[in-house]
């Protein structure tokens, strides 16, 4: 079994390496800043852009690859500069995968994924009772964001929604909806 601290550290360093290759100036926060693992500046942008990145890393690349997203990970963005990068470490380093997702998209995806699973009318009654604080989101939910480093070039609130199409229907469904404080409650974007 992999040491979880090493997996986390490997993912963070890998993201820093990729962002550096793309021209970002990056700095690890070393667990000193809540909600942010990496601070990055785009020195070529005018005006210069500063972003905050939270990294979540998983090992393996099977169908069931997922990331635990607790309540802190589910909170809405405090600015248009908050991002997640979800990393999948494979046995071969060249096969590392990543998904670049705005924080508000993560909050919506986590709620929708968990609530639709929890309240599925076809589920055996009493079998699904995991609270939202223990939510997990599977790789397939973020596949539209794979290798979308280009999204970082604009504010997070301007990024296209690349979640599965059925998630929009779930967001409109009274059984699932969105978190009460989510910004999409005011106006649900198209996707």
């Amino acid at each position: 079994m992999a040491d979880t601290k090493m997996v986390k550290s490997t993912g963070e360093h890998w993201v820093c390496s990729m962002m550096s290759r793309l021209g970002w100036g990056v700095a690890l926060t070393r667990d000193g800043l809540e909600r942010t693992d990496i601070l990055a500046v785009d020195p070529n942008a005018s005006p210069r852009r500063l972003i905050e990145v939270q990294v979540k890393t998983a090992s393996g690349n099977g169908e069931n690859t997922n990331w635990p997203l607790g309540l802190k990970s589910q909170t809405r963005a405090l600015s248009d500069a908050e991002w997640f990068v979800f990393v999948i470490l494979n046995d071969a380093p060249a096969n590392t995968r990543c998904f670049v997702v705005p924080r508000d998209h993560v909050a919506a995806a986590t709620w929708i994924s968990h609530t639709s699973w929890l309240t599925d009318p076809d589920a055996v009654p009493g079998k699904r009772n995991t609270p939202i604080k223990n939510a997990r989101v599977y790789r397939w939910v973020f596949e539209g964001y794979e290798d979308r480093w280009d999204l970082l070039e604009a504010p997070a609130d301007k990024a296209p929604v690349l979640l599965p199409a059925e998630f929009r229907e779930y967001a409109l469904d009274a059984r699932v909806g969105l978190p009460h404080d989510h910004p999409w409650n005011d106006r649900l974007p198209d996707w």
Side-chain angles (χ1 to χ4, degrees), residues 54-149:
Q54 187 164 8
V55 179
K56 295 289 185 182
T57 308
S59 296
N61 194 24
E63 279 186 33
N64 292 325
T65 300
N66 64 76
W67 298 271
L69 294 169
L71 295 177
K72 287 183 183 178
S73 297
Q74 297 173 37
T75 58
R76 67 181 291 173
L78 298 176
S79 75
D80 65 1
E82 289 190 73
W83 297 84
F84 275 85
V85 177
F86 295 92
V87 177
I88 298 176
L89 300 176
N90 292 300
D91 292 336
N95 294 331
T96 299
R97 297 175 69 187
C98 73
F99 309 85
V100 181
V101 189
R103 178 177 275 277
D104 283 339
H105 298 210
V106 172
T110 305
W111 179 272
I112 292 167
S113 180
H114 187 78
T115 306
S116 65
W117 169 82
L118 189 65
T119 63
D120 183 345
D122 296 329
V124 176
K127 292 291 184 185
R128 295 188 177 177
N129 55 15
T130 303
I132 190 74
K133 70 179 183 176
N134 296 336
R136 292 183 164 273
V137 178
Y138 288 85
R139 177 195 72 202
W140 65 268
V141 172
F142 296 129
E143 284 189 345
Y145 298 90
E146 187 163 8
D147 290 324
R148 291 300 307 267
W149 296 103

Side-chain angles (χ1 to χ4, degrees), residues 31 37 50 59 68 77 94 96 101-102 131 139 148 152 155 161 164 168:
D31 298 325
D37 297 313
L50 178 67
S59 296
T96 299
V101 189
R139 177 195 72 202
R148 291 300 307 267
L152 299 177
V161 180
R168 190 171 198 286

Side-chain angles (χ1 to χ4, degrees), residues 15-38:
V15 171
C16 283
S17 171
M18 292 300 293
M19 291 183 72
S20 291
R21 289 180 64 197
L22 294 169
W24 288 87
V26 298
L28 285 167
T29 63
R30 303 309 326 147
D31 298 325
L33 190 58
E34 189 174 48
R35 300 165 60 115
T36 306
D37 297 313
I38 299 168

